Amino acid sequence: QVQLQESGPGLVKPSQTLSLTCSVSGDSITTNDYYWIWIRQPPGKGLEWMGAITHSGSTYYDPSLKSRTSISRDTSKNQFTLQLSSVTPEDTAVYYCARKSYSLGVYDYWGQGTQVTVSS
């Protein structure tokens, strides 16, 4: 089966850039029909879709986060990354990576999530 694993620092200082990597095993991130997604959940709040990168490398972002968000990939390592700049304490959340099937319209695989705290 497909496995996704988030990694990166758990503590980031305000104004710095949050950087996370999602390592994928079991399938190539270039496989057709899938989006690779970043989602977060702040404390006490619901899931927030942040953005996605397609199998061909096209990117899409939540308009409210677009100016601060960059999603990229390294196909040689089968990884995709999230960078969120100019972070504030409101960016504190559990961050998830996930896969979504375009044709089925479902999130079929998720990482376990990683806690990121923005604090000085």
Side-chain angles (χ1 to χ4, degrees):
Q1 65 176 7
V2 179
Q3 292 183 302
L4 292 80
Q5 177 72 58
E6 303 92 345
S7 62
L11 181 64
V12 183
K13 292 181 170 60
S15 82
Q16 294 185 336
T17 296
L18 182 161
S19 297
L20 296 174
T21 296
C22 184
S23 299
V24 179
S25 63
D27 196 14
S28 173
I29 61 174
T30 63
T31 298
N32 195 20
D33 195 45
Y34 296 105
Y35 296 86
W36 303 89
I37 315 294
W38 285 103
I39 300 168
R40 69 180 182 180
Q41 186 170 33
K45 299 184 182 298
L47 297 171
E48 179 184 15
W49 185 90
M50 301 183 69
I53 188 165
T54 72
H55 73 280
S56 61
S58 299
T59 54
Y60 304 90
Y61 302 103
D62 180 344
S64 70
L65 297 172
K66 184 176 181 179
S67 66
R68 299 195 293 130
T69 306
S70 179
I71 297 173
S72 58
R73 65 178 184 168
D74 186 337
T75 57
S76 69
K77 296 181 179 180
N78 212 41
Q79 297 175 332
F80 63 105
T81 62
L82 170 71
Q83 294 192 331
L84 183 67
S85 66
S86 303
V87 298
T88 74
E90 292 186 357
D91 294 310
T92 294
V94 177
Y95 286 75
Y96 299 91
C97 56
R99 188 179 83 165
K100 183 178 182 179
S101 169
Y102 177 78
S103 61
L104 297 178
V106 298
Y107 292 83
D108 54 0
Y109 293 98
W110 292 69
Q112 84 284 357
T114 186
Q115 172 71 45
V116 178
T117 299
V118 179
S119 176
S120 60

